[in-house]
Amino acid sequence: MKISCRNQFAGQIAAINKGAVNSEVALTINEQVQITAVITNQSIERLELAEGKDALALIKASDVMIATDALRMSARNVFTGTVAKVVSGEVNDEVTVTIGDCEFVAIITKASSQSLSLTAGQAATVVVKASSVILAA
């Protein structure tokens, strides 16, 4: 199956924290990146997710936020890396941030990209809400 989602990360389930309706699933991608997803318990059962099982995290580029300053926030997925490239468009810019061997792609407004003065080689932080992560198994 081919999908249009720009951010696709293969990993192994490190932990599942079950709640009454939803569960938190931690997926280890590499030494620097462990992605947390919040999905329904029904999805956990349907996908037969369990610790140690391989899974895929999918994140739309429009759900990836970029920060350049230290922030305290509620988002579960916050990773600091280096801007690999910025592709400038008329309205939006595509920003690629490298964290270890992972590349996160974000689509942000041109105005936001300019206000952050994003350039290749610059340190940047990727931010993704756990509820924006889709899991596949």
Side-chain angles (χ1 to χ4, degrees), residues 85-96:
K85 67 179 175 178
V86 178
V87 178
S88 190
E90 292 299 316
V91 176
N92 292 325
D93 285 0
E94 179 184 86
V95 181
T96 303

Side-chain angles (χ1 to χ4, degrees), residues 56-114:
L56 186 66
L58 306 169
I59 307 166
K60 290 180 60 173
S62 57
D63 288 335
V64 177
M65 294 174 276
I66 304 291
T68 55
D69 298 321
L71 302 169
R72 291 181 58 188
M73 66 186 71
S74 63
R76 295 298 309 274
N77 300 296
V78 180
F79 311 108
T80 300
T82 304
V83 175
K85 67 179 175 178
V86 178
V87 178
S88 190
E90 292 299 316
V91 176
N92 292 325
D93 285 0
E94 179 184 86
V95 181
T96 303
V97 177
T98 304
I99 300 149
D101 60 355
C102 289
E103 282 190 343
F104 283 81
V105 178
I107 299 295
I108 63 174
T109 64
K110 185 174 197 66
S112 292
S113 182
Q114 289 174 339

Side-chain angles (χ1 to χ4, degrees), residues 122-136:
Q122 172 184 2
T125 300
V126 169
V127 179
V128 180
K129 291 176 57 174
S131 58
S132 295
V133 178
I134 298 168
L135 294 182

Side-chain angles (χ1 to χ4, degrees), residues 7-75:
N7 298 290
Q8 303 176 32
F9 304 103
Q12 189 174 64
I13 297 174
I16 297 174
N17 183 15
K18 284 198 120 182
V21 177
N22 291 333
S23 293
E24 250 183 11
V25 180
L27 186 67
T28 300
I29 309 304
N30 64 28
E31 291 181 8
Q32 295 102 342
V33 178
Q34 185 175 74
I35 295 174
T36 300
V38 172
I39 64 174
T40 65
N41 291 335
Q42 183 179 23
S43 292
I44 298 262
E45 292 172 20
R46 185 173 44 81
L47 294 170
E48 300 176 349
L49 299 182
E51 288 184 22
K53 185 173 180 179
D54 290 338
L56 186 66
L58 306 169
I59 307 166
K60 290 180 60 173
S62 57
D63 288 335
V64 177
M65 294 174 276
I66 304 291
T68 55
D69 298 321
L71 302 169
R72 291 181 58 188
M73 66 186 71
S74 63

